Amino acid sequence: MKKLLVLTAVLLLPFVVLGKSLNIVASTTDIADIMKAVAGDRANVECLMKGTQDPHSVEPKPSMVIKVRNADIMAVVGMDLDMWANSVIEASRNSKVSKGGQGYLDMSEDIPKLEVPEGKIDARLGDVHIYGNPHYQLNPENGKIMADEALKKLIEFSPDDEKYFQANHDAFVKKLDEAIIRWKKTMAPLKGVKLAASHSCLLYFFDAFGIKQAGYIESKPGIPPSPAEVMALEKKIQDDRVKAVLVDQFFDMSEPEKLSADTGIKPVVISTCVNGIDGTGDYIKLFDFDVNAVVSAVK
Amino acid sequence: MKNKLLFLLLLCLFASFVRADDTQNSGAKVGPIALPDISLIGNIIGDYNQDTNHVTFGMDELEMVIAGYIYPQIKADAVLSMHQNGLEIEEAYADFLSLFDTFSLRAGKMKVEFGKINKLHSHVWPYADVPLVINNFLAGSLSENGASIGIVLPLPIFVKSETGLYNVEPGVDGGPGTLSLSRELYSERLSASFDPTDSSELELATSGAISKGSDYPVSRDDVRLAGADLTLKVWPVNYSRFLLQSEAMYMKREQAGGAFERWGAYTYAGYTFNKFVDLGTRYDWSENAIAQMDKESKISGIFTYRMSEATFARFQYTYSPEKKSNEVLLQFVYGLGPHTHPLQ
């Protein structure tokens, strides 16, 4: 009998230990990193996708369902970017974290949105996001808004830890503010410079540092460019003396390399997610890497 | 009945036009409008079969899907299918997603949880035709009225059990030599999925079903079905995926004239090279489902070009060694409107 009690206690131990902290699941690595920064050691934060995956087209896996099933908070990008996470949430049967539940956190709520389409939207325009461009994490100012969202939700779940979360939040925002000053100083010579990009996911990055967009390889999101579109971009690059084309880490390099061969423009691979490329292990390092890559290429 | 369905269809089309019009007026802010998701999936197929010396081309199926939440944690889905035999309610069910926080319940007309691909709509299959064993043992697709209860077991890996009780609609037939069911159908599927590595996923499952043959009053035909399936997915780099899917089925029919057993299986292996191109091959082997024994095999090569998640063009070449005949299929599938699928 005694042995049975000990065995039961051992089996229940993980649940007791787990029960002490919040279980947070984030759809993307950027959100996971910000949630970790604010929650500190009071939460277990897990991420559904890897930084090397394109957040538009992640294939949901049953192992993700297991993570979401035990989640108290499920944090998503929203704006229809990570719609694949919805099928995971639904399959998890965890009503707490489904849309409308207390644990559902849409990080885009207070983000100033760019490229919100007007008028009739259909497939002629490509794979347009109807709520606007959802890659807002690429403006570091939006990282602060995401940290605010994280703080509000964490306090809601664990009001006793408010001071702890607030301190973590403030430390993260302070570090980010200092970094933003540094990045803006480094990027200052590029203000008003025209750069091309693989596609519109870099819009918020351009907006953050005052870079002018000279055109996208994928002029319609998700649709490979036609020869005429490539020629038009090449002409624009030559006319405007565009020095570099920024390419996100998922993009097939054949088009940027062709563009480079035809016009002499430099393809610069940058990361759009935390852990998308080696050396982008957290939200601050992501911008350190991208800012250095762009400045080095355009110098 | 047909008129009612047509009316329903027109009503839905009207609703979707209203939605499209709202989109035009208010930009992207269509989210708050309390209309269900409405989508159309068109499946156009061209088929040249040397064995029958027959060429067909045209709309094989037009599927309209209406889906949405009717209450927190309760969803309703309806799938109307228009094909050469007319209009059909392929599925229409309510999903109680979180019953007592543990179980889920689906009630209505639905795809029976038996085997891997029966529950999936054919436009998400990586090939253009129905594998032989699915055609012979499940009449192409088992979609029946009833209820099923699902539970994800509280284990560190994903283990799901689904138990269903259905009332089989008589008359569903996959053609000569195939099984046609009637009366009650009990089914159970137990599946387990885990990630052998960070970039792969393996699903193993078993299924079982008990029912009666369509001429039960005459032949006292008791039917037992069992199945096992395996799905391995490996993602070597972004946008690329290797898929191995194999399904084997066993059938036992006990009739007044005696009992007989049948087997069938298929294996598909495919590689997705990038966002656009898939290349795959499938090997089919199946015995028929009737007392007069016959068997057939097929080997197919499949090329798919994807324009978007829901729109693609496909070429499939199939050779049947027993018949020494070739078949060429051309398929174009398009999707219009918001459309989601459960985990596959």
Side-chain angles (χ1 to χ4, degrees):
Chain A
M1 185 63 188
K2 220 175 188 179
K3 278 182 185 169
L4 190 68
L5 278 171
V6 171
L7 183 68
T8 312
V10 169
L11 288 172
L12 289 174
L13 191 65
F15 296 96
V16 176
V17 172
L18 282 174
K20 279 189 175 173
S21 61
L22 289 169
N23 287 319
I24 299 171
V25 177
S27 62
T28 66
T29 50
D30 313 297
I31 296 177
D33 185 61
I34 292 171
M35 292 299 301
K36 267 181 205 162
V38 181
D41 59 10
R42 306 283 158 90
N44 309 303
V45 181
E46 292 196 89
C47 187
L48 295 184
M49 60 166 274
K50 292 187 282 184
T52 48
Q53 285 179 287
D54 181 348
H56 293 93
S57 54
V58 173
E59 196 169 332
K61 298 200 295 183
S63 58
M64 296 177 180
V65 175
I66 297 297
K67 288 179 183 172
V68 176
R69 188 181 60 185
N70 300 320
D72 299 298
I73 297 171
M74 172 78 216
V76 298
V77 176
M79 297 174 75
D80 279 358
L81 176 72
D82 45 2
M83 285 193 293
W84 49 269
N86 294 337
S87 58
V88 178
I89 296 169
E90 202 171 278
S92 77
R93 315 300 195 214
N94 182 351
S95 55
K96 226 174 10 181
V97 299
S98 62
K99 203 168 185 175
Q102 195 199 355
Y104 184 81
L105 174 58
D106 180 343
M107 287 284 195
S108 71
E109 292 266 300
D110 292 333
I111 298 285
K113 296 168 181 73
L114 301 178
E115 254 180 6
V116 180
E118 293 287 331
K120 185 173 166 62
I121 306 153
D122 62 30
R124 280 174 295 186
L125 307 172
D127 191 10
V128 173
H129 294 280
I130 61 167
Y131 300 103
N133 189 316
H135 304 280
Y136 54 83
Q137 85 283 1
L138 285 174
N139 183 337
E141 294 291 345
N142 290 339
K144 291 191 273 181
I145 298 172
M146 291 161 79
D148 294 346
E149 294 287 352
L151 177 66
K152 275 189 275 177
K153 189 57 80 180
L154 286 165
I155 293 172
E156 204 180 308
F157 268 82
S158 187
D160 292 347
D161 293 318
E162 180 173 350
K163 280 184 184 166
Y164 175 78
F165 294 141
Q166 186 71 55
N168 287 345
H169 168 273
D170 294 349
F172 174 77
V173 170
K174 187 170 178 274
K175 205 173 157 192
L176 191 55
D177 273 332
E178 286 164 4
I180 289 172
I181 293 168
R182 193 174 72 238
W183 297 326
K184 287 206 166 161
K185 201 174 161 190
T186 314
M187 293 286 275
L190 271 69
K191 204 164 184 177
V193 167
K194 282 186 176 176
L195 296 179
S198 48
H199 82 6
S200 62
C201 72
L202 296 166
L203 179 72
Y204 287 89
F205 186 80
F206 284 1
D207 190 52
F209 299 107
I211 297 169
K212 285 190 176 167
Q213 180 262 109
Y216 298 125
I217 294 175
E218 235 177 42
S219 61
K220 289 172 185 155
I223 309 289
S226 66
E229 285 166 340
V230 173
M231 278 170 66
L233 181 61
E234 286 181 356
K235 187 173 181 309
K236 201 164 185 213
I237 286 168
Q238 281 160 341
D239 290 350
D240 294 351
R241 294 182 182 170
V242 179
K243 286 186 176 174
V245 54
L246 308 192
V247 183
D248 56 273
Q249 76 272 29
F250 319 114
F251 205 78
D252 180 0
M253 284 304 287
S254 56
E255 278 300 336
E257 279 163 4
K258 184 182 174 297
L259 209 59
S260 174
D262 292 350
T263 63
I265 195 171
K266 282 184 199 166
V268 184
V269 179
I270 70 166
S271 181
T272 54
C273 303
V274 166
N275 275 323
I277 297 177
D278 284 346
T280 60
D282 64 37
Y283 193 66
I284 307 267
K285 285 180 187 157
L286 168 72
F287 287 96
D288 279 336
F289 180 94
D290 288 349
V291 164
N292 287 335
V294 176
V295 168
S296 312
V298 181
K299 251 180 193 171
Chain B
M1 180 65 180
K2 234 176 197 178
N3 287 341
K4 278 183 186 168
L5 278 171
L6 264 172
F7 176 72
L8 184 63
L9 193 70
L10 288 170
L11 197 69
C12 295
L13 277 170
F14 175 71
S16 66
F17 285 135
V18 170
R19 182 176 176 147
D21 200 39
D22 279 331
T23 308
Q24 203 156 12
N25 293 334
S26 60
K29 290 170 185 157
V30 294
I33 295 170
L35 280 170
D37 287 344
I38 300 168
S39 60
L40 276 180
I41 309 291
N43 185 4
I44 300 167
I45 288 195
D47 181 9
Y48 165 67
N49 191 326
Q50 192 184 22
D51 185 45
T52 56
N53 195 23
H54 197 57
V55 180
T56 55
F57 189 84
M59 182 65 77
D60 188 61
E61 186 186 28
L62 181 67
E63 199 178 274
M64 174 177 270
V65 184
I66 305 151
Y69 277 84
I70 50 174
Y71 195 76
Q73 296 301 307
I74 305 177
K75 260 185 91 183
D77 284 63
V79 182
L80 308 177
S81 172
M82 281 178 280
H83 43 68
Q84 53 187 359
N85 300 325
L87 265 169
E88 181 199 359
I89 298 178
E90 195 179 340
E91 291 186 277
Y93 55 79
D95 246 341
F96 300 79
L97 296 174
S98 189
L99 215 57
F100 311 118
D101 267 352
T102 310
F103 296 95
S104 58
L105 170 73
R106 179 172 288 186
K109 189 177 184 191
M110 71 201 85
K111 293 208 173 254
V112 174
E113 285 276 0
F114 182 90
K116 177 66 186 175
I117 63 163
N118 182 62
K119 62 184 177 176
L120 306 174
H121 287 196
S122 60
H123 62 261
V124 299
W125 294 353
Y127 27 78
D129 63 344
V130 184
L132 280 173
V133 65
I134 305 295
N135 193 59
N136 291 353
F137 291 12
L138 308 181
S141 169
L142 271 183
S143 186
E144 308 297 348
N145 267 304
S148 92
I149 286 181
I151 179 167
V152 177
L153 301 178
L155 294 169
I157 62 165
F158 184 87
V159 180
K160 191 178 184 189
S161 162
E162 266 154 328
T163 308
L165 170 60
Y166 310 90
N167 185 24
V168 179
E169 200 175 312
V172 180
D173 199 330
T178 66
L179 175 65
S180 181
L181 298 174
S182 69
R183 303 195 173 196
E184 302 83 22
L185 167 70
Y186 305 93
S187 78
E188 164 66 27
R189 177 173 164 82
L190 185 69
S191 62
S193 297
F194 61 96
D195 297 353
T197 66
D198 213 20
S199 305
S200 61
E201 178 201 327
L202 178 64
E203 182 191 27
L204 300 166
T206 58
S207 307
I210 300 171
S211 189
K212 310 279 185 206
S214 57
D215 60 344
Y216 183 76
V218 180
S219 62
R220 315 308 292 172
D221 187 7
D222 281 315
V223 180
R224 278 169 175 70
L225 287 164
D229 57 86
L230 168 155
T231 305
L232 173 69
K233 293 175 187 173
V234 182
W235 295 268
V237 287
N238 218 2
Y239 303 125
S240 297
R241 185 186 73 174
F242 170 73
L243 171 67
L244 176 71
Q245 195 170 79
S246 197
E247 204 166 344
M249 287 184 190
Y250 163 81
M251 185 193 66
K252 186 174 184 184
R253 293 179 79 168
E254 282 178 33
Q255 299 178 326
F260 63 92
E261 297 172 355
R262 294 287 183 267
W263 289 88
Y266 73 87
T267 295
Y268 170 84
Y271 191 73
T272 303
F273 288 86
N274 50 43
K275 274 203 272 189
F276 311 108
V277 177
D278 287 8
L279 207 53
T281 181
R282 193 185 77 212
Y283 178 73
D284 279 80
W285 177 86
S286 180
E287 294 171 343
N288 65 359
I290 57 170
Q292 291 76 39
M293 167 73 153
D294 193 13
K295 58 189 171 191
E296 192 185 347
S297 64
K298 280 180 179 180
I299 183 142
S300 306
I302 305 126
F303 170 82
T304 306
Y305 182 81
R306 294 185 188 280
M307 278 155 254
S308 71
E309 208 179 325
T311 302
F312 60 84
R314 177 170 287 149
F315 169 84
Q316 179 170 330
Y317 166 74
T318 298
Y319 178 69
S320 173
E322 287 80 13
K323 293 177 179 170
K324 292 190 171 40
S325 79
N326 302 292
E327 184 175 13
V328 174
L329 288 157
L330 293 169
Q331 182 185 33
F332 181 71
V333 170
Y334 62 86
L336 200 61
H339 184 78
T340 56
H341 289 284
L343 293 186
Q344 288 169 33

